[in-house]
């Protein structure tokens, strides 16, 4: 089978969607399928390297097209349509409702004719930006058409499935993200800056990710440093917040962290902080737990599903003053650090691939 994955960004970019697509693509290639990824990220990576228009990564053919991304969102990339048509796939699996390549993939399938479309929206329904919310509102009729055009829609969490049903009257099958449990479990713990215990945040530096809450809470957690792994447009604001909070000397902005170094970084942390306002799943939480690190999660979006686990502490920041938020996070950290993790099994990528393979067979 020739499978075409469509996404806004692909390796070496990091993130939840990027990890999900890369795991599926490489594992289906390992199973003997011809796999092509069409990604709207042609240009320069955060670490400075140029991303070529064509390359082969881990047995996967990657085709990158240019995109216009206002506010680093949506990725308007009409080149996706032509790229998918050139692949001439047996099946298209498109990702990320919050970026236009999924819609261009649906349009390509419409033109190709009898080609099944599977959609994994990674849908979280909103953003922390008024500009992006306005764009989402304008995009909804087209995005809804693309989702309803799909032969199968897959949600990565129960929370996401409920949102898809409420917002689009759309049934979705839940196939959660996986994690390479053995890889994270075997990681050698990293040491913190100055050999002090550290808390960890991993992800793109955007306001909605909530790293600013973790930084401000450090004042109430003098025994810990904070390591912030990731890059993004909110980085300078976070550095300013650290200075204003008087904790700049205890916040290590690690920038882009190579994929091979992440397991050790997770394993060495006293606790992992996931304080995002919008998530469809929370793959970094799964990675932290697999590395044996308990988590503090904000009870928002799909992170609410993690709060039910014994190895996670859920905190509610909605409507909280800065002082109340600091206290809630500090209390959550002190409650979490002594909890063993993982407290129950985590979904593996091998399990995910088996379930998605059965879906491909059903729609193919």
């Amino acid at each position: 089978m020739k499978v075409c994955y469509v996404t806004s960004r692909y390796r070496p970019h990091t993130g939840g969607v990027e990890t999900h697509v890369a795991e599926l693509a490489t594992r289906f290639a390992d199973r003997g399928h011809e796999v092509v990824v069409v990604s709207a990220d042609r240009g320069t990576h955060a670490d400075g390297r140029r991303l070529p228009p064509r390359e082969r990564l881990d047995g996967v053919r990657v085709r990158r097209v240019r995109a216009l991304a206002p506010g680093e969102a949506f990725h308007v990339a009409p080149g996706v349509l032509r790229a998918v048509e050139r692949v001439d796939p047996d099946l298209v699996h498109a990702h990320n409702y919050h970026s236009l390549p999924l819609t261009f993939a649906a349009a390509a399938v419409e033109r190709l004719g009898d080609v099944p479309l599977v959609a994994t929206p990674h849908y979280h329904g909103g953003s922390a930006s008024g500009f992006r919310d306005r764009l989402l509102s304008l995009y909804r009729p087209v995005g809804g058409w693309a989702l309803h055009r799909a032969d199968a829609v897959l949600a990565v969490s129960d929370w996401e499935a409920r949102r898809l049903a409420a917002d689009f009257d759309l049934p979705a099958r839940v196939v959660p993200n996986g994690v390479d449990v053995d890889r994270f479990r075997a990681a050698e713990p990293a040491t913190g800056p100055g050999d002090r215990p550290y808390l960890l945040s991993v992800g793109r530096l955007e306001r909605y990710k909530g790293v600013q809450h973790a930084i401000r809470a450090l004042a109430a957690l003098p025994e810990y440093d904070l390591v912030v792994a990731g890059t993004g447009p909110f980085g300078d604001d976070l550095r300013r917040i650290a200075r204003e909070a008087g904790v700049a000397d205890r916040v290590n902005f690690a920038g882009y962290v190579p994929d091979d170094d992440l397991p050790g970084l997770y394993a060495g942390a006293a606790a992992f902080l996931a304080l995002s306002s919008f998530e469809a799943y929370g793959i970094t939480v799964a990675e932290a737990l697999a590395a044996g690190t308990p988590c503090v999660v904000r009870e928002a979006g799909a992170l609410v599903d993690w709060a039910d686990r014994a190895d996670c502490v859920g905190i509610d920041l909605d409507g909280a003053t800065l002082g109340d938020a600091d206290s809630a996070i500090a209390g959550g950290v002190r409650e979490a650090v002594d909890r063993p993790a993982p407290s129950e099994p985590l979904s593996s990528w091998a399990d995910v691939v088996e379930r998605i393979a059965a879906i491909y067979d059903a729609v193919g």
Side-chain angles (χ1 to χ4, degrees), residues 29-55:
D30 288 344
R31 292 164 73 108
H33 298 287
E34 184 178 355
V35 177
V36 183
V37 171
V38 174
S39 182
D41 61 354
R42 185 173 173 181
T44 304
H45 184 254
D47 64 5
R49 82 183 90 170
R50 295 289 299 177
L51 298 179
R54 294 171 179 262
E55 63 180 323

Side-chain angles (χ1 to χ4, degrees), residues 4 6 78-86 89 92 101-115 117 145 149:
C4 178
V6 177
V80 166
L81 194 155
R82 183 61 180 147
V84 172
E85 290 179 334
R86 286 175 177 167
V92 174
L102 185 149
T103 300
F104 289 120
V109 166
E110 189 80 2
R111 286 166 53 161
L112 285 168
D114 192 22
V115 175
L117 173 65
W145 167 82
R149 173 63 182 78

